[in-house]
Protein backbone atom coordinates (compact mmCIF):
# COMPACT_ATOMS: atom_id res chain seq x y z
CA UNK A 1 0.00 0.00 0.00
CA UNK A 2 1.36 3.40 -0.97
CA UNK A 3 1.76 5.86 1.88
CA UNK A 4 -0.18 8.61 0.09
CA UNK A 5 -2.61 7.72 -2.65
CA UNK A 6 -4.37 9.86 -5.19
CA UNK A 7 -6.36 9.05 -8.28
CA UNK A 8 -4.05 9.79 -11.18
CA UNK A 9 -6.84 11.08 -13.40
CA UNK A 10 -7.11 12.80 -15.66
CA UNK A 11 -10.09 14.44 -14.03
CA UNK A 12 -12.00 16.50 -16.53
CA UNK A 13 -14.56 19.10 -15.47
CA UNK A 14 -16.33 21.87 -17.39
CA UNK A 15 -15.51 25.47 -16.70
CA UNK A 16 -17.49 26.80 -13.73
CA UNK A 17 -17.98 23.36 -12.15
CA UNK A 18 -16.63 22.09 -8.84
CA UNK A 19 -13.53 19.91 -9.09
CA UNK A 20 -13.06 17.40 -6.29
CA UNK A 21 -9.63 15.92 -5.66
CA UNK A 22 -9.09 13.16 -3.13
CA UNK A 23 -6.17 11.77 -1.17
CA UNK A 24 -5.78 8.99 1.38
CA UNK A 25 -2.80 8.34 3.62
CA UNK A 26 -1.67 5.32 5.57
CA UNK A 27 0.25 6.73 8.57
CA UNK A 28 -2.17 7.49 11.41
CA UNK A 29 0.30 9.81 13.14
CA UNK A 30 0.40 12.17 10.14
CA UNK A 31 -0.22 15.70 11.33
CA UNK A 32 0.16 18.12 8.45
CA UNK A 33 -1.47 18.03 5.06
CA UNK A 34 -0.80 20.11 2.01
CA UNK A 35 -2.05 20.57 -1.52
CA UNK A 36 0.33 21.69 -4.21
CA UNK A 37 -0.45 22.67 -7.79
CA UNK A 38 2.09 21.89 -10.47
CA UNK A 39 1.83 23.19 -13.99
CA UNK A 40 3.62 21.25 -16.69
CA UNK A 41 7.33 22.02 -16.64
CA UNK A 42 7.08 24.05 -13.45
CA UNK A 43 7.76 23.36 -9.78
CA UNK A 44 5.02 22.63 -7.21
CA UNK A 45 3.23 25.65 -5.77
CA UNK A 46 1.64 25.45 -2.33
CA UNK A 47 -2.06 26.29 -2.46
CA UNK A 48 -3.50 24.93 0.78
CA UNK A 49 -2.41 23.59 4.15
CA UNK A 50 -4.62 21.96 6.76
CA UNK A 51 -3.80 20.53 10.17
CA UNK A 52 -7.12 19.96 11.95
CA UNK A 53 -10.23 17.97 11.12
CA UNK A 54 -12.84 19.87 9.18
CA UNK A 55 -12.84 22.35 6.36
CA UNK A 56 -10.51 25.20 5.53
CA UNK A 57 -11.48 27.68 2.86
CA UNK A 58 -9.28 30.06 0.88
CA UNK A 59 -10.95 31.80 -2.02
CA UNK A 60 -12.19 29.20 -4.49
CA UNK A 61 -10.30 26.42 -2.70
CA UNK A 62 -11.56 24.33 0.21
CA UNK A 63 -9.46 21.66 1.89
CA UNK A 64 -11.21 18.99 3.95
CA UNK A 65 -9.51 16.72 6.48
CA UNK A 66 -10.86 13.63 8.19
CA UNK A 67 -8.15 12.04 10.31
CA UNK A 68 -10.36 9.16 11.44
CA UNK A 69 -10.82 8.10 7.83
CA UNK A 70 -7.26 9.17 6.90
CA UNK A 71 -8.66 11.22 4.08
CA UNK A 72 -7.98 14.70 2.78
CA UNK A 73 -9.63 16.40 -0.17
CA UNK A 74 -9.46 19.60 -2.16
CA UNK A 75 -12.48 21.26 -3.71
CA UNK A 76 -12.06 23.88 -6.39
CA UNK A 77 -15.19 25.93 -6.96
CA UNK A 78 -15.94 27.78 -10.19
CA UNK A 79 -13.13 25.90 -11.95
CA UNK A 80 -11.26 27.85 -14.59
CA UNK A 81 -9.14 26.62 -17.50
CA UNK A 82 -6.15 28.14 -15.67
CA UNK A 83 -6.75 25.57 -12.91
CA UNK A 84 -5.71 22.83 -15.33
CA UNK A 85 -2.63 21.31 -13.70
CA UNK A 86 -1.49 18.36 -11.63
CA UNK A 87 -2.51 18.55 -7.97
CA UNK A 88 -0.21 16.92 -5.46
CA UNK A 89 -1.25 15.85 -1.99
CA UNK A 90 1.56 15.90 0.60
CA UNK A 91 1.59 14.59 4.14
CA UNK A 92 3.94 15.36 6.99
CA UNK A 93 4.50 13.52 10.24
CA UNK A 94 5.67 15.12 13.47
CA UNK A 95 8.60 12.80 14.09
CA UNK A 96 9.85 13.03 10.51
CA UNK A 97 11.00 16.65 10.69
CA UNK A 98 10.36 18.44 7.45
CA UNK A 99 9.88 15.32 5.37
CA UNK A 100 6.80 15.35 3.17
CA UNK A 101 5.41 12.27 1.47
CA UNK A 102 3.72 13.04 -1.81
CA UNK A 103 1.04 11.26 -3.72
CA UNK A 104 1.49 10.66 -7.42
CA UNK A 105 -0.75 13.61 -8.24
CA UNK A 106 -4.10 14.03 -9.96
CA UNK A 107 -4.17 15.68 -13.36
CA UNK A 108 -7.05 18.12 -13.63
CA UNK A 109 -8.34 19.40 -16.95
CA UNK A 110 -10.90 22.21 -16.99
CA UNK A 111 -12.66 22.45 -20.34
CA UNK A 112 -13.94 25.85 -21.53
CA UNK B 1 10.45 38.59 -0.22
CA UNK B 2 12.62 36.52 -2.52
CA UNK B 3 11.62 32.91 -3.04
CA UNK B 4 13.70 29.78 -3.04
CA UNK B 5 16.53 30.01 -5.54
CA UNK B 6 18.07 26.96 -7.14
CA UNK B 7 21.09 26.95 -9.39
CA UNK B 8 21.76 25.93 -12.02
CA UNK B 9 18.39 25.53 -13.72
CA UNK B 10 19.61 23.00 -16.26
CA UNK B 11 22.53 20.60 -16.33
CA UNK B 12 23.74 17.98 -18.75
CA UNK B 13 26.29 15.55 -17.39
CA UNK B 14 27.92 12.35 -18.55
CA UNK B 15 27.60 9.02 -16.78
CA UNK B 16 30.22 8.64 -14.08
CA UNK B 17 30.60 12.36 -13.46
CA UNK B 18 29.52 14.10 -10.30
CA UNK B 19 27.30 17.14 -9.89
CA UNK B 20 26.59 19.73 -7.20
CA UNK B 21 23.29 21.56 -7.00
CA UNK B 22 22.68 24.66 -4.91
CA UNK B 23 19.67 25.98 -3.03
CA UNK B 24 19.17 29.31 -1.28
CA UNK B 25 16.09 29.20 0.97
CA UNK B 26 13.66 31.99 1.70
CA UNK B 27 15.20 34.50 4.09
CA UNK B 28 14.58 33.38 7.65
CA UNK B 29 13.84 29.77 6.75
CA UNK B 30 16.11 27.32 8.50
CA UNK B 31 14.99 24.04 6.99
CA UNK B 32 15.88 22.87 3.51
CA UNK B 33 14.60 19.65 1.97
CA UNK B 34 15.54 18.07 -1.32
CA UNK B 35 13.30 16.00 -3.57
CA UNK B 36 13.75 14.11 -6.80
CA UNK B 37 10.90 14.17 -9.29
CA UNK B 38 10.63 11.70 -12.17
CA UNK B 39 7.64 10.76 -14.32
CA UNK B 40 7.64 7.21 -13.03
CA UNK B 41 8.30 7.71 -9.31
CA UNK B 42 6.82 11.13 -8.70
CA UNK B 43 8.23 13.32 -5.95
CA UNK B 44 10.55 11.43 -3.65
CA UNK B 45 12.21 12.77 -0.53
CA UNK B 46 16.01 12.83 -0.55
CA UNK B 47 17.00 14.51 2.72
CA UNK B 48 16.27 17.42 5.02
CA UNK B 49 18.62 19.79 6.80
CA UNK B 50 17.86 22.01 9.74
CA UNK B 51 20.47 24.22 11.39
CA UNK B 52 23.24 22.48 9.43
CA UNK B 53 22.18 19.02 10.63
CA UNK B 54 20.69 16.30 8.47
CA UNK B 55 17.52 15.30 10.27
CA UNK B 56 16.07 12.85 7.84
CA UNK B 57 17.16 10.89 4.80
CA UNK B 58 15.15 9.16 2.12
CA UNK B 59 15.77 5.81 0.52
CA UNK B 60 18.49 6.80 -1.92
CA UNK B 61 21.99 5.36 -2.37
CA UNK B 62 24.99 6.92 -0.70
CA UNK B 63 25.93 8.59 -3.98
CA UNK B 64 23.41 11.24 -3.00
CA UNK B 65 24.64 13.55 -0.28
CA UNK B 66 24.04 17.04 0.93
CA UNK B 67 24.99 19.68 3.40
CA UNK B 68 23.74 22.93 4.83
CA UNK B 69 25.76 25.99 5.64
CA UNK B 70 25.41 28.39 8.56
CA UNK B 71 23.42 30.82 6.38
CA UNK B 72 20.93 27.99 5.66
CA UNK B 73 21.99 27.65 2.04
CA UNK B 74 22.21 24.03 1.01
CA UNK B 75 23.97 21.94 -1.59
CA UNK B 76 23.35 18.43 -2.76
CA UNK B 77 25.88 16.29 -4.54
CA UNK B 78 25.44 13.25 -6.70
CA UNK B 79 28.55 11.25 -7.46
CA UNK B 80 29.12 8.63 -10.15
CA UNK B 81 26.08 9.70 -12.10
CA UNK B 82 23.85 7.08 -13.66
CA UNK B 83 21.34 7.49 -16.47
CA UNK B 84 18.55 6.91 -13.96
CA UNK B 85 19.58 10.02 -12.04
CA UNK B 86 18.09 12.16 -14.79
CA UNK B 87 15.32 14.04 -13.03
CA UNK B 88 14.05 17.35 -11.75
CA UNK B 89 15.69 18.09 -8.41
CA UNK B 90 13.63 20.31 -6.18
CA UNK B 91 14.58 22.17 -3.07
CA UNK B 92 11.98 23.29 -0.54
CA UNK B 93 12.43 25.64 2.38
CA UNK B 94 10.42 25.89 5.59
CA UNK B 95 10.61 28.22 8.57
CA UNK B 96 10.94 25.55 11.25
CA UNK B 97 9.23 22.20 10.71
CA UNK B 98 7.47 20.06 11.68
CA UNK B 99 4.06 21.02 10.50
CA UNK B 100 5.09 24.14 8.65
CA UNK B 101 4.56 24.95 5.03
CA UNK B 102 7.28 24.15 2.51
CA UNK B 103 7.95 26.30 -0.53
CA UNK B 104 9.69 24.98 -3.59
CA UNK B 105 12.30 26.49 -5.81
CA UNK B 106 12.12 26.27 -9.59
CA UNK B 107 14.22 23.13 -9.61
CA UNK B 108 17.30 21.93 -11.41
CA UNK B 109 16.70 19.75 -14.45
CA UNK B 110 19.53 17.21 -14.59
CA UNK B 111 20.06 15.14 -17.70
CA UNK B 112 22.63 12.35 -17.60
CA UNK B 113 23.82 11.12 -20.99
Amino acid sequence: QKEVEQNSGPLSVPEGAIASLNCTYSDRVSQSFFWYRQYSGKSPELIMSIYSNGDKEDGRFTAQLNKASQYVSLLIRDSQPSDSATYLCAVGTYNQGGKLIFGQGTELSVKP
Amino acid sequence: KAGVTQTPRYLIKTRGQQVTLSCSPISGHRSVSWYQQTPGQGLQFLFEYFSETQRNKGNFPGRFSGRQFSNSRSEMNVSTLELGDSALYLCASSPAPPNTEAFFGQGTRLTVV
Side-chain angles (χ1 to χ4, degrees):
Chain A
Q1 181 190 8
K2 291 184 180 177
E3 293 178 274
V4 179
E5 292 202 60
Q6 298 179 250
N7 291 329
S8 60
L11 172 66
S12 184
V13 301
E15 183 175 356
I18 295 175
S20 178
L21 304 162
N22 304 314
C23 173
T24 58
Y25 59 95
S26 60
D27 191 345
R28 285 195 167 273
V29 298
S30 297
Q31 293 193 323
S32 54
F33 307 86
F34 307 94
W35 285 98
Y36 287 84
R37 176 176 62 198
Q38 187 173 27
Y39 293 112
S40 180
K42 301 293 186 183
S43 63
E45 173 193 8
L46 179 67
I47 54 172
M48 287 290 285
S49 60
I50 187 166
Y51 305 100
S52 303
N53 280 331
D55 295 0
K56 179 183 178 183
E57 186 175 319
D58 183 1
R60 295 186 297 112
F61 299 99
T62 298
Q64 299 175 316
L65 175 61
N66 183 326
K67 289 187 178 182
S69 300
Q70 295 175 237
Y71 176 92
V72 58
S73 66
L74 179 70
L75 300 178
I76 306 174
R77 290 182 300 282
D78 188 24
S79 295
Q80 301 296 309
S82 59
D83 294 325
S84 298
T86 295
Y87 289 80
L88 298 161
C89 172
V91 175
T93 304
Y94 183 81
N95 64 354
Q96 296 287 313
K99 175 182 178 180
L100 295 177
I101 300 174
F102 283 83
Q104 287 290 94
T106 298
E107 184 183 347
L108 172 66
S109 177
V110 181
K111 303 294 186 184
Chain B
K1 201 172 189 181
V4 180
T5 303
Q6 289 189 245
T7 56
R9 292 289 311 281
Y10 302 93
L11 266 178
I12 300 176
K13 290 286 189 178
T14 305
R15 270 184 307 174
Q17 288 187 314
Q18 75 166 16
V19 66
T20 299
L21 312 181
S22 179
C23 173
S24 293
I26 294 170
S27 178
H29 286 194
R30 296 167 60 192
S31 169
V32 173
S33 299
W34 288 89
Y35 294 83
Q36 180 196 66
Q37 187 173 32
T38 59
Q41 298 299 316
L43 263 162
Q44 294 197 297
F45 174 78
L46 280 156
F47 27 67
E48 185 233 351
Y49 288 88
F50 181 77
S51 294
E52 301 180 66
T53 300
Q54 186 183 89
R55 296 202 300 181
N56 213 332
K57 191 177 192 303
N59 189 24
F60 279 83
R63 299 184 297 107
F64 291 83
S65 63
R67 59 178 175 169
Q68 187 180 34
F69 302 96
S70 58
N71 62 358
S72 295
R73 191 178 69 85
S74 177
E75 290 181 346
M76 68 163 281
N77 184 78
V78 188
S79 62
T80 320
L81 285 165
E82 300 177 359
L83 295 179
D85 297 333
S86 295
L88 180 65
Y89 289 88
L90 292 159
C91 165
S93 82
S94 302
N99 295 348
T100 55
E101 298 171 338
F103 300 89
F104 282 91
Q106 293 178 297
T108 294
R109 172 74 62 184
L110 172 64
T111 303
V112 183
V113 297

